[in-house]
Amino acid sequence: MGKRVGLFVPCYVNDFYPEAAFSTLEVLESLGFDVVYPENQSCCGQPFLNNGMVYDARKLAERFVDIFADFDFVVAPSSSCIGAVKHRYDGIVKDARYPLLRQRVYELCEFLHDVVGIENLRFQTPFRGRVGLHNSCHALRELGLAAPSELHIPPFSKVRAVLSKIEGLEVVEPSRDECCGFGGTFSIQESAVSAMMGRDRIADHRTNGVDIVAGVDMSCLMHMEGLAKRDGIPVRFVHVAQLMTGRV
């Protein structure tokens, strides 16, 4: 039996995009990991952290540590929530197990790239066609999954490297790696600006002639999906794990 992986499923994935969670489970199990979904898991607390509600966030953060501390690894189909666990629990969680746990918490593509290794990836289902890759802010600028344009450093992308192992898939990226405008409660507090930013990202992807846009954060994709549906734009939004399993 392989090492034990705790599967953490963010709230919005659990409620609206379960196919992203099932695909993540399928990918991990195909690599020989013993994957466990703790049924008592809940929100990581990021919405509270975003709004300065530290007391409420602390209770959820401590719950997260208590549930996942004993796993060899913790993996989630989200860079946003994993970013919160890795970088925003520090100082609010007093549990002595947290410093070790944060080193074993990964976004899915980060885990496949850094722990499993690109050379060991074999996806069984080919994908024929072009897909636009949305690089979310948390993936770029908090977890460092790719080179953000403002740093002017040599380009790299762990997500793109993982997707390169899918036979037949052509990944194309928009001209700019700007925010889609979701930003959690930003999309509520500044809805007009948020919508403009989202429509700008959709238009950028559409210039590449794609009808599917994929990413590691369904929260960003959910925002753009809503705008595209409202505007009658025929484009679908899927999690990258779905490309790996053919659940598209």
Side-chain angles (χ1 to χ4, degrees):
M1 185 65 73
K3 290 194 173 183
R4 293 179 75 237
V5 171
L7 175 61
F8 172 58
V9 178
C11 312
Y12 55 92
V13 172
N14 185 60
D15 290 340
F16 303 120
Y17 302 101
E19 61 273 19
F22 283 120
S23 292
T24 301
L25 171 67
E26 187 176 332
V27 169
L28 294 172
E29 287 188 335
S30 72
L31 292 166
F33 292 100
D34 176 17
V35 186
V36 177
Y37 172 78
E39 295 187 3
N40 56 342
Q41 64 180 273
S42 62
C43 174
C44 65
Q46 185 189 174
F48 295 109
L49 290 168
N50 291 346
N51 288 282
M53 302 168 68
V54 176
Y55 174 78
D56 296 283
R58 178 182 295 119
K59 291 188 289 187
L60 291 171
E62 290 175 343
R63 179 184 175 89
F64 183 98
V65 174
D66 190 52
I67 291 171
F68 288 103
D70 293 333
F71 286 97
D72 296 308
F73 303 103
V74 180
V75 178
S78 165
S79 72
S80 173
C81 294
I82 289 300
V85 173
K86 275 191 170 183
H87 301 294
R88 302 178 68 186
Y89 280 8
D90 203 18
I92 67 170
V93 173
K94 306 301 181 186
D95 194 314
R97 297 171 295 178
Y98 172 63
L100 287 177
L101 173 62
R102 72 184 297 184
Q103 299 174 30
R104 307 194 306 272
V105 175
Y106 294 90
E107 179 280 328
L108 175 62
C109 287
E110 179 184 35
F111 181 74
L112 297 177
H113 186 280
D114 293 357
V115 177
V116 176
I118 293 296
E119 68 279 7
N120 297 315
L121 295 179
R122 299 287 184 277
F123 299 120
Q124 300 301 316
T125 307
F127 182 94
R128 308 296 180 191
R130 309 180 86 200
V131 171
L133 176 59
H134 174 71
N135 291 304
S136 55
C137 297
H138 287 282
L140 285 178
R141 300 175 175 93
E142 192 165 38
L143 295 187
L145 300 189
S149 57
E150 67 271 16
L151 294 184
H152 303 290
I153 59 178
F156 71 92
S157 171
K158 295 180 182 179
V159 179
R160 191 166 185 135
V162 170
L163 295 181
S164 72
K165 304 299 288 188
I166 301 175
E167 181 185 345
L169 174 63
E170 180 185 357
V171 175
V172 290
E173 298 185 49
S175 62
R176 305 187 307 278
D177 57 6
E178 296 171 355
C179 175
C180 68
F182 179 61
T185 52
F186 175 80
S187 62
I188 298 172
Q189 296 164 348
E190 299 288 348
S191 58
V193 177
S194 170
M196 290 179 65
M197 294 170 69
R199 288 190 169 101
D200 181 69
R201 293 298 80 224
I202 294 170
D204 201 344
H205 280 292
R206 293 292 284 170
T207 61
N208 288 325
V210 299
D211 56 14
I212 296 178
V213 175
V216 301
D217 283 293
M218 287 309 306
S219 50
C220 301
L221 300 178
M222 176 175 63
H223 173 59
M224 291 187 286
E225 180 182 46
L227 292 168
K229 285 183 176 177
R230 193 175 306 167
D231 296 342
I233 298 173
V235 59
R236 289 187 295 149
F237 297 84
V238 302
H239 193 273
V240 292
Q242 295 172 245
L243 297 173
M244 301 174 199
T245 59
R247 292 175 180 263
V248 179

